[in-house]
């Protein structure tokens, strides 16, 4: 969710409701304090979601592709993961040790890199299920760590996609899809048994209807796996798929029952996947959905005692250019002039990605021949590559609530969780309660 994405989403959302667009603000853009975070990994100048998730959830910069481990572990080093000496703790564990309730909400697989950075320790972000592990490996996969791990097993609210990673290939999910795991595990059933053994009253749900009818008086822990893989894009989701804001609402309601407070991590993860596909329309809509979830959270909490921080893992390569008149469709063509080849160009485009189209007879592809209004249109990109890459520039941070002024200025991304811990009086470091 680059700053470019935010600017374009303002226009997208504004135009949706009859405005020119540029003049509006997303819910979190009205927060009183803003900052910029530097997102690079220890071994890479452009971050992936694993090293950046580790930075802003655990407070330590890591190597690209690794989760919850210090930079002493290179990607794919199972022995480095297995030793355990390179594990880093983070906000989820600090909150649990302080007696707070904890939760994760995401629109990606719950085992995907970003949510996994809050509870897992993995030398490779792709080790989501045992099927993904190298042969002979004795390291625990990410789904297993969510159910059996010291931190994962104690998370009270878990909502997202990725049902396949919790079921053996011998089992089928509610939609009839076979599980992805090689072992004989049914980690959904195991999660329920584990939570009961810890004294919780757990409930597994798999669709929007079940989520909305969840009895909060009866249950204090929920596992919601609403899709076999990632949760469908909002623009394509059926009626029985919960929106990010709906998951957010239930999560806050459940976690708020804890008298010691809670830590909740909410991710609009499909902003990222849409950008990778250079599907700008979907990326902007998913960003608008995140803003809606933040708006709902603001209505539910007291910001005199609740800190809300909104930020990104990293940037993407989408640009926003041209000199179009106000009110021009942000997802359409610029309307001032064609390029020097007398061909039109779109206001939004990418530095690289699958939207690249080769020149025809020494001329740039004529975009007027494309159906740019199509939901799955891949916006033009300069360099051909199967999946668009991340960008390396700083990302924005927006904060509101106690100690939110700490988030101003420019700083390393791994500063973020330490500032949150300071404000919330959790973790092993210096806090506002100790000052």
């Amino acid at each position: 969710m680059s700053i470019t994405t935010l600017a374009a989403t303002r226009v997208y959302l504004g135009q949706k409701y009859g405005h020119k667009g540029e003049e509006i603000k997303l819910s979190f853009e009205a927060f009183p304090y803003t900052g910029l975070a530097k997102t690079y990994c220890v071994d890479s100048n452009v971050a992936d979601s694993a090293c950046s998730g580790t930075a802003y959830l655990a407070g330590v910069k890591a190597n690209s592709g690794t989760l919850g481990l210090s930079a002493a572990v290179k990607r794919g080093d199972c022995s480095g993961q297995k030793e355990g000496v390179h594990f880093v703790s983070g906000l989820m564990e600090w909150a649990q040790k302080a007696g707070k309730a904890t939760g994760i909400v995401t629109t990606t697989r719950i085992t995907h890199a970003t949510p996994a950075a809050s509870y897992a320790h993995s030398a490779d972000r792709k080790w989501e299920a045992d099927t993904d592990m190298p042969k002979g490996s004795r390291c625990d996969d990410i789904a297993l760590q969510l159910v059996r791990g010291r931190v994962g097993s104690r998370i009270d609210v878990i909502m997202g996609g990725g049902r396949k990673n919790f079921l053996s290939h011998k089992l089928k999910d509610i939609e009839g899809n076979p599980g992805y795991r090689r072992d004989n595990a049914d980690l959904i059933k195991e999660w329920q048994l584990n939570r009961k053994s810890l004294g919780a009253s757990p409930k597994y749900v798999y669709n929007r209807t079940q989520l909305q009818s969840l009895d909060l008086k009866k249950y204090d822990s929920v596992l919601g796996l609403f899709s076999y893989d990632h949760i469908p894009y909002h623009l394509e989701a059926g009626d029985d798929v919960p929106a990010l804001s709906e998951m957010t609402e239930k999560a806050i309601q459940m976690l708020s029952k804890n008298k010691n407070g809670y830590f909740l991590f909410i991710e609009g993860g499909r902003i990222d996947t849409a950008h990778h596909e250079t599907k700008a329309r979907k990326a902007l809509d998913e960003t608008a959905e995140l803003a809606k979830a933040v708006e709902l959270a603001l209505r539910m909490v007291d910001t005199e005692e609740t800190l809300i921080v909104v930020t990104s893992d990293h940037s993407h390569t989408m640009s926003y250019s041209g000199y179009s008149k106000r009110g021009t469709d942000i997802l359409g063509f610029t309307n001032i002039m064609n390029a020097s080849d007398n061909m039109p160009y779109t206001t939004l485009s990418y530095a690289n990605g699958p939207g690249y189209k080769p020149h025809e007879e020494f001329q740039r592809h004529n975009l007027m021949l494309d159906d740019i209004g199509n939901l799955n249109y891949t916006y033009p990109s300069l360099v051909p590559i199967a999946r668009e890459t991340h960008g390396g520039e700083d990302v924005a941070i927006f904060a509101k609530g106690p100690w939110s002024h700490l988030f101003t200025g420019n700083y390393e991304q791994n500063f973020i969780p330490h500032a949150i811990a300071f404000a919330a009086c959790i973790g092993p470091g210096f806090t506002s309660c100790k000052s």
Side-chain angles (χ1 to χ4, degrees):
M1 191 175 68
S2 60
I3 292 174
T4 306
T5 304
L6 298 177
T9 303
R10 283 180 222 135
V11 184
Y12 169 81
L13 198 56
Q15 290 179 345
K16 196 173 178 181
Y17 293 100
H19 304 286
K20 285 188 167 62
E22 293 87 353
E23 70 279 12
I24 75 158
K25 286 185 178 182
L26 303 178
S27 58
F28 48 86
E29 290 182 316
F31 284 11
Y33 296 102
T34 59
L36 293 170
K38 298 185 282 184
T39 62
Y40 62 90
C41 309
V42 170
D43 63 346
S44 175
N45 64 346
V46 175
D48 84 308
S49 297
C51 83
S52 55
T54 301
Y56 73 71
L57 288 167
V60 174
K61 287 226 179 223
N63 289 319
S64 181
T66 64
L67 289 164
L69 300 166
S70 76
V73 179
K74 297 289 185 183
R75 186 170 188 170
D77 179 10
C78 177
S79 61
Q81 170 186 331
K82 200 166 183 299
E83 289 169 6
V85 296
H86 305 300
F87 285 10
V88 294
S89 63
L91 286 167
M92 197 69 71
E93 183 174 7
W94 300 341
Q96 289 172 353
K97 286 183 175 179
K100 295 182 184 294
T102 52
I104 308 172
V105 171
T106 181
T107 50
T108 66
R109 296 185 299 271
I110 199 69
T111 50
H112 202 237
T114 308
S118 68
Y119 62 83
H121 309 280
S122 180
D124 197 318
R125 58 176 289 176
K126 291 187 176 180
W127 294 349
E128 295 186 47
D130 65 330
T131 307
D132 302 316
M133 307 292 292
K135 285 189 177 179
S137 168
R138 294 191 177 183
C139 285
D140 288 344
D141 60 83
I142 293 168
L144 202 66
Q145 291 185 52
L146 179 56
V147 175
R148 299 180 187 173
R150 185 181 73 250
V151 179
S153 64
R154 295 182 179 275
I155 299 173
D156 301 289
V157 171
I158 302 166
M159 297 185 197
R163 209 183 293 134
K164 65 178 184 179
N165 291 326
F166 293 83
L167 295 173
S168 163
H169 66 282
K170 297 177 182 179
L171 301 172
K172 290 187 177 180
D173 73 355
I174 193 65
E175 296 172 338
N177 300 307
Y180 180 62
R181 301 188 64 82
R182 280 190 306 231
D183 57 22
N184 294 317
D186 181 345
L187 294 182
I188 295 172
K189 186 176 289 184
E190 187 175 325
W191 175 85
Q192 292 172 298
L193 293 172
N194 285 354
R195 293 300 295 164
K196 285 179 182 177
S197 72
L198 292 170
S201 300
K203 178 68 174 176
Y204 168 63
V205 295
Y206 52 82
N207 60 37
R208 181 173 179 244
T209 303
Q210 289 182 328
L211 179 66
Q212 291 183 326
S213 61
L214 189 65
D215 188 342
L216 296 172
K217 292 180 180 178
K218 187 176 179 181
Y219 302 106
D220 56 15
S221 185
V222 63
L223 171 63
L225 297 175
F226 302 109
S227 180
Y228 183 70
D229 200 345
H230 294 316
I231 290 179
Y233 288 109
H234 170 250
L235 289 172
E236 295 176 325
D239 292 338
D240 227 10
V241 176
L244 183 61
S245 55
E246 292 171 331
M247 292 190 285
T248 297
E249 180 177 30
K250 282 295 181 184
I252 292 175
Q253 287 173 346
M254 182 167 281
L255 296 175
S256 295
K257 295 194 297 181
N258 188 310
K259 63 181 180 181
N260 295 318
Y262 59 90
F263 168 72
L264 174 60
F265 174 65
I266 302 164
E267 183 202 21
R270 303 231 63 189
I271 301 168
D272 172 75
T273 59
H275 275 319
H276 278 307
E277 298 165 356
T278 66
K279 293 177 180 176
R281 187 177 300 273
K282 287 181 174 179
L284 302 194
D285 187 75
E286 292 295 318
T287 306
E289 284 298 296
L290 176 65
K292 187 192 295 184
V294 175
E295 185 177 5
L296 182 141
L298 282 167
R299 292 200 302 267
M300 294 183 71
V301 305
D302 178 2
T303 54
E304 289 295 313
E305 60 178 39
T306 303
L307 172 65
I308 301 180
V309 180
V310 180
T311 188
S312 317
D313 292 56
H314 47 69
S315 171
H316 273 271
T317 71
M318 187 183 77
S319 68
Y320 176 173
S321 62
Y323 298 104
S324 288
K325 293 177 182 177
R326 292 281 305 281
T328 301
D329 182 4
I330 188 66
L331 290 161
F333 297 109
T334 57
N335 64 8
I336 295 298
M337 63 181 74
N338 287 336
S340 56
D341 58 4
N342 292 318
M343 302 272 265
Y345 63 98
T346 52
T347 300
L348 303 179
S349 60
Y350 290 82
N352 55 47
Y356 173 83
K357 290 183 173 65
H359 289 201
E360 300 162 0
E361 298 180 355
F362 304 102
Q363 279 196 321
R364 185 165 58 90
H365 172 74
N366 186 355
L367 297 178
M368 292 296 289
L369 301 175
D370 295 350
D371 179 11
I372 68 169
N374 189 297
L375 179 61
N376 287 303
Y377 180 66
T378 53
Y379 274 71
S381 52
L382 179 64
V383 176
I385 188 170
R387 276 172 61 80
E388 178 263 1
T389 70
H390 298 161
E393 72 270 24
D394 299 351
V395 294
I397 300 171
F398 307 88
K400 183 171 185 174
W403 296 96
S404 51
H405 63 278
L406 294 176
F407 297 90
T408 56
N410 178 275
Y411 36 83
E412 300 289 353
Q413 192 173 36
N414 58 305
F415 164 78
I416 298 169
H418 296 294
I420 292 173
F422 178 88
C425 295
I426 61 175
F430 188 60
T431 71
S432 60
C433 297
K434 298 174 186 175
S435 63

